[in-house]
């Protein structure tokens, strides 16, 4: 009886300890990007497995059964394919213009933020008064008005940047990005820039800074005040979006120095590239057989979750099929519909493919990709050379960095002809330097002191345990630009210098007057 009582006591004590360390966490993922959601699913799964209760405001159903999870579904989701049609990306050159891309990001952020906040389910969630959360985890992707949830629930904020670094993230954490050697988010420059590149980088970064401070953030602030007006009636004036952004406790950034050059950082800004990458699972039998029986290896081709191969122009589809038919390798092509005809015998079509598991197979010798960040990190992790066909956003930047790192080649979509595509594939397969460099990158990418997922969860829990961890937040976020750059001090020094010169000048004038008077008296 004593032993049973002891066991029961230990189980009860264990349960109490676990309950004490389990938190309620709210995820804010309003952006309707499937690749973004797939990354956040990994964080949600990990936190629920560790016993935390997670709620997510999202445009996507979780689908898989999961404990300790509640979702507030933005339904219907923002019609992103209608507002920003993929056909325009394939045919237009507008997405190659950096200044137009800035405006596109702001428009996308404002439209998706408003749409999701005005959704019925989200409105019902906002109006509830019976909820409590220990932490808000928000995507760092142009939805700043959503930070007002942190004020509503009086909870600290951790953000996750799915796109890597940007200047405004630095500023929110107390840093000013040094434009002399850190390129803007949209540029594919390295840290050694020519004078032209530094000039252009400064121009683009300045316009981004001014537009964000005087147009974009004020618009997000107006939106937040409209949506959360009832909260103001009960609790007084709402904080502005700018101050909420400065209150972010930690930023988890999808970046790694193997792809992005090192840049100045600060406590609370953490590189977590590869956090979404899990140990490979067993492939479906038909897929595994197709790969295992490939005498000359396998090429995997995917344009990601948003840029669908099925929406490619007909002439480009035809080029791809002709080139694949000439290859001795087998090809796995993620193609989202059933209408592809005249598929060569060496090509396997899949509407969905377990990309990470495929890239992990030793017989996969080349990845043809659009250059999205998640797929890029997966190819780097598994040491697979990549032929990148970039389209917009961060894809050209990722492609250029992969080329400079030696594991990738870049082919612009407008330049995809049967001859050029075949030559690029043949060069990458025949030239073993690409494979060798990819394997070297893999070793560096995997060499971590802490697993990136474990590090991510650590920082989330750290912020909760330490009530927002205000002790790690730099006060530089509260300095004006003039104070940060010591312009006020230089101004004082200049003023003092001018005053001294004026006094000396007056002294000289007075001395001359006195001398002239003395001479007159002598006369």
């Amino acid at each position: 009886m004593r032993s049973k009582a002891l066991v029961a006591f230990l189980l009860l004590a264990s349960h109490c300890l676990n309950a004490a360390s389990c938190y309620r966490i709210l995820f804010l993922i309003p952006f309707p990007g499937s690749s973004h959601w797939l990354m956040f699913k990994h964080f949600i799964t990990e936190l629920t497995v560790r016993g935390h209760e997670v709620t997510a405001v999202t445009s996507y159903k979780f689908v898989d059964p999961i404990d300790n999870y509640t979702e507030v579904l933005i339904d219907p989701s923002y019609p992103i394919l209608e507002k920003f049609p993929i056909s325009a990306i394939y045919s237009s050159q507008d997405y190659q213009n950096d200044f137009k891309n800035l405006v596109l990001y702001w428009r996308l952020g404002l439209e998706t933020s408003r749409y999701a906040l005005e959704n019925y389910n989200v409105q019902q969630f906002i109006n509830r008064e019976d909820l409590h959360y220990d932490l808000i985890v928000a995507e760092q992707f142009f939805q700043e008005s959503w930070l007002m949830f942190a004020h509503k629930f009086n909870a600290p904020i951790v953000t996750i940047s799915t796109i890597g670094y940007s200047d405004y993230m630095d500023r929110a954490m107390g840093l000013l990005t040094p434009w002399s050697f850190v390129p803007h988010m949209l540029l594919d420059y390295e840290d050694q820039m020519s004078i032209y590149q530094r000039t252009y980088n400064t121009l683009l970064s300045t316009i981004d800074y001014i537009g964000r401070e005087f147009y974009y953030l004020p618009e997000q602030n107006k939106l937040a005040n409209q949506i959360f007006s009832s909260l103001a009636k009960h609790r007084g004036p709402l904080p502005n979006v700018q101050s909420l952004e400065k209150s972010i406790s930690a930023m988890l950034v999808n970046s790694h120095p193997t792809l992005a050059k090192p840049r100045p950082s600060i406590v609370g800004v953490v590189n977590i590239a590869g956090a979404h990458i899990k140990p490979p699972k067993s492939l479906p039998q038909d897929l595994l057989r197709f790969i295992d029986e490939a005498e000359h290896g396998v090429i995997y081709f995917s344009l990601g979750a948003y840029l669908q191969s099925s929406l490619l122009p007909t002439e480009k589809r035809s080029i791809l099929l002709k080139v694949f038919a000439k290859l001795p390798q087998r090809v796995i092509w993620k193609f989202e519909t059933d209408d592809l005809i005249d598929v060569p015998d060496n090509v396997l079509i899949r509407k969905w493919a377990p990309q990470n598991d495929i890239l992990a197979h030793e017989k996969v010798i080349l990845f043809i990709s659009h250059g999205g960040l998640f797929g890029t990190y997966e190819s780097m992790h598994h040491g697979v050379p990549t032929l990148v066909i970039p389209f917009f956003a961060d894809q050209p930047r990722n492609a250029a960095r992969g080329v400079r790192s030696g594991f990738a080649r870049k082919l612009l979509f407008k330049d995809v002809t049967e001859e050029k595509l075949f030559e690029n594939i043949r060069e990458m397969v025949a030239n073993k330097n690409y494979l060798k460099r990819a394997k070297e990158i893999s070793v560096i990418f995997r060499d971590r002191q802490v697993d990136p997922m474990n590090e991510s969860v650590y920082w989330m829990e750290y912020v909760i345990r330490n009530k927002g961890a205000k002790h790690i937040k730099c006060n530089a976020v509260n300095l004006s630009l003039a104070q940060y750059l010591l312009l006020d001090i230089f101004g004082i020094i200049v003023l003092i210098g001018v005053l001294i010169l004026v006094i000396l000048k007056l002294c000289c004038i007075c001395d001359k007057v006195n001398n002239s008077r003395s001479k007159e008296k002598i006369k």
Side-chain angles (χ1 to χ4, degrees):
M1 288 293 292
R2 287 182 179 178
S3 61
K4 289 183 178 179
L6 178 61
V7 170
F9 173 78
L10 291 174
L11 288 173
L12 179 62
S14 174
H15 175 75
C16 291
L17 287 172
N18 286 334
S21 61
C22 294
Y23 303 114
R24 292 173 59 85
I25 301 172
L26 174 63
F27 273 74
L28 302 175
I29 323 165
F31 181 69
S34 51
S35 60
H36 296 231
W37 165 242
L38 289 173
M39 181 179 183
F40 274 92
K41 280 185 71 174
H42 292 288
F43 292 105
I44 292 170
T45 301
E46 186 68 25
L47 287 165
T48 55
V49 166
R50 297 186 187 211
H52 301 300
E53 292 184 32
V54 176
T55 297
V57 183
T58 172
S59 299
Y60 297 91
K61 287 182 176 293
F62 203 92
V63 180
D64 307 316
I66 181 172
D67 296 326
N68 302 326
Y69 177 66
T70 304
E71 63 188 11
V72 178
L73 200 61
I74 303 167
D75 185 28
S77 64
Y78 177 82
I80 192 167
L81 292 178
E82 295 176 18
K83 299 285 187 176
F84 300 89
I86 295 174
S87 57
I89 297 175
Y90 287 144
S91 60
S92 174
Q93 293 299 308
D94 285 350
Y95 289 92
Q96 308 305 315
N97 185 297
D98 298 318
F99 299 98
K100 287 184 178 180
N101 278 334
L102 277 181
V103 176
L104 177 121
Y105 273 126
W106 297 335
R107 176 193 158 197
L108 186 65
L110 289 167
E111 287 189 11
T112 56
S113 293
R114 176 176 292 279
Y115 181 92
L117 285 171
E118 292 178 345
N119 179 267
Y120 176 79
N121 293 339
V122 177
Q123 283 287 303
Q124 294 294 102
F125 179 71
I126 290 173
N127 291 328
R128 289 186 62 174
E129 299 292 338
D130 59 331
L131 299 174
H132 161 75
Y133 294 100
D134 300 297
L135 180 69
I136 306 296
V137 179
E139 182 175 9
Q140 188 79 48
F141 192 72
F142 300 95
Q143 275 88 32
E144 289 79 5
S145 52
W146 284 67
L147 297 176
M148 195 63 74
F149 278 100
H151 176 66
K152 173 178 172 58
F153 294 113
N154 193 28
I157 318 166
V158 169
T159 60
I160 299 177
S161 169
T162 50
I163 59 171
Y165 281 102
S166 186
D167 295 4
Y168 66 84
M169 298 176 198
D170 286 343
R171 292 195 295 273
M173 298 304 287
L175 282 174
L176 280 184
T177 308
W179 297 336
S180 56
F181 65 94
V182 177
H184 187 273
M185 170 186 69
L186 295 175
L187 301 179
D188 61 6
Y189 299 162
E190 287 285 79
D191 53 357
Q192 291 181 314
M193 291 183 270
S194 67
I195 189 168
Y196 166 78
Q197 289 175 328
R198 281 187 288 119
T199 301
Y200 185 74
N201 184 50
T202 302
L203 175 64
L204 180 63
S205 300
T206 301
I207 291 174
D208 187 4
Y209 175 81
I210 294 172
R212 184 177 176 83
E213 292 297 319
F214 295 99
Y215 164 69
Y216 173 72
L217 285 181
E219 288 298 311
Q220 285 281 10
N221 195 55
K222 287 180 187 176
L223 174 58
N225 276 276
Q226 291 170 11
I227 297 298
F228 292 90
S229 58
S230 60
L231 186 62
K233 293 177 183 177
H234 297 96
R235 292 172 48 182
L238 299 175
N240 60 42
V241 164
Q242 290 91 331
S243 65
L244 287 170
E245 192 176 46
K246 292 175 182 177
S247 73
I248 294 170
S249 299
M251 282 188 186
L252 310 179
V253 184
N254 195 24
S255 183
H256 190 274
T258 50
L259 194 65
K261 291 290 186 180
R263 59 191 285 155
S265 189
I266 198 168
V267 176
V269 178
V270 186
N271 288 331
I272 60 159
H276 71 291
I277 300 175
K278 301 294 183 184
K281 300 176 184 177
S282 298
L283 291 167
Q285 283 302 313
D286 60 334
L287 199 56
L288 182 62
R289 189 181 309 111
F290 183 80
I291 297 175
D292 282 341
E293 294 175 358
E295 182 181 351
H296 301 285
V298 172
I299 296 169
Y300 175 59
F301 176 41
S302 171
L303 294 179
Y306 179 67
L307 287 171
Q308 300 175 17
S309 295
S310 58
L311 298 177
L312 282 168
T314 305
E315 66 272 14
K316 295 297 184 182
R317 287 198 213 177
S318 178
I319 289 170
L320 289 163
L321 289 170
K322 288 177 182 177
V323 170
F324 292 161
K326 294 192 291 184
L327 298 173
Q329 291 80 25
R330 289 186 172 183
V331 178
I332 300 171
W333 185 355
K334 189 181 86 67
F335 195 91
E336 297 77 17
T337 61
D338 296 317
D339 61 351
L340 194 62
I341 59 175
D342 298 327
V343 178
D345 293 337
N346 66 326
V347 177
L348 180 67
I349 301 297
R350 282 289 182 270
K351 290 183 179 180
W352 176 86
Q355 180 167 286
N356 182 62
D357 305 330
I358 291 173
L359 292 174
H361 198 288
E362 60 182 6
K363 282 204 169 184
V364 176
I365 59 173
L366 181 64
F367 179 29
I368 303 177
S369 165
H370 63 301
L373 206 48
F374 303 115
T376 300
Y377 285 140
E378 288 168 7
S379 65
M380 291 167 63
H381 180 87
H382 295 297
V384 180
T386 307
L387 173 59
V388 185
I389 306 174
F391 293 89
F392 73 116
D394 62 335
Q395 297 162 18
R397 178 195 69 187
N398 299 336
R401 289 173 176 175
V403 170
R404 283 192 286 263
S405 295
F407 69 90
R409 285 174 73 95
K410 180 174 78 170
L411 178 61
L412 295 178
F413 184 68
K414 65 181 180 63
D415 296 332
V416 173
T417 62
E418 187 175 343
E419 180 182 0
K420 287 185 178 179
L421 180 60
F422 182 76
E423 286 301 319
N424 273 276
I425 293 174
R426 187 171 65 176
E427 169 64 17
M428 292 202 73
V429 171
N431 188 342
K432 299 305 178 184
N433 287 328
Y434 289 104
L435 179 61
K436 178 184 176 183
R437 183 56 182 157
K439 296 302 181 186
E440 292 172 351
I441 290 291
S442 175
V443 171
I444 299 171
F445 187 79
R446 292 171 181 244
D447 192 355
R448 312 282 186 94
Q449 186 176 12
V450 182
D451 174 79
M453 178 56 77
N454 289 336
E455 188 165 18
S456 301
V457 173
Y458 166 80
W459 278 104
M460 293 179 197
E461 294 176 340
Y462 180 89
V463 168
I464 298 173
R465 289 194 303 269
N466 292 280
K467 311 299 182 184
K470 293 181 180 179
H471 58 281
I472 67 171
K473 189 73 177 191
C474 179
N475 190 56
V477 294
N478 298 316
L479 298 179
S480 67
L481 185 62
Q483 290 172 321
Y484 192 104
L485 297 174
L486 293 177
L487 297 180
D488 53 345
I489 303 300
F490 287 119
I492 292 171
I493 292 172
V494 170
L495 180 60
I496 291 173
V498 170
L499 287 174
I500 291 172
L501 289 174
V502 169
I503 292 170
L504 289 174
K505 185 68 174 177
L506 290 173
C507 289
C508 289
I509 293 171
C510 290
D511 189 53
K512 287 181 180 180
V513 170
N514 289 333
N515 286 339
S516 63
R517 287 177 178 176
S518 298
K519 288 179 181 179
E520 287 178 2
K521 286 181 180 180
I522 292 172
K523 288 179 180 179

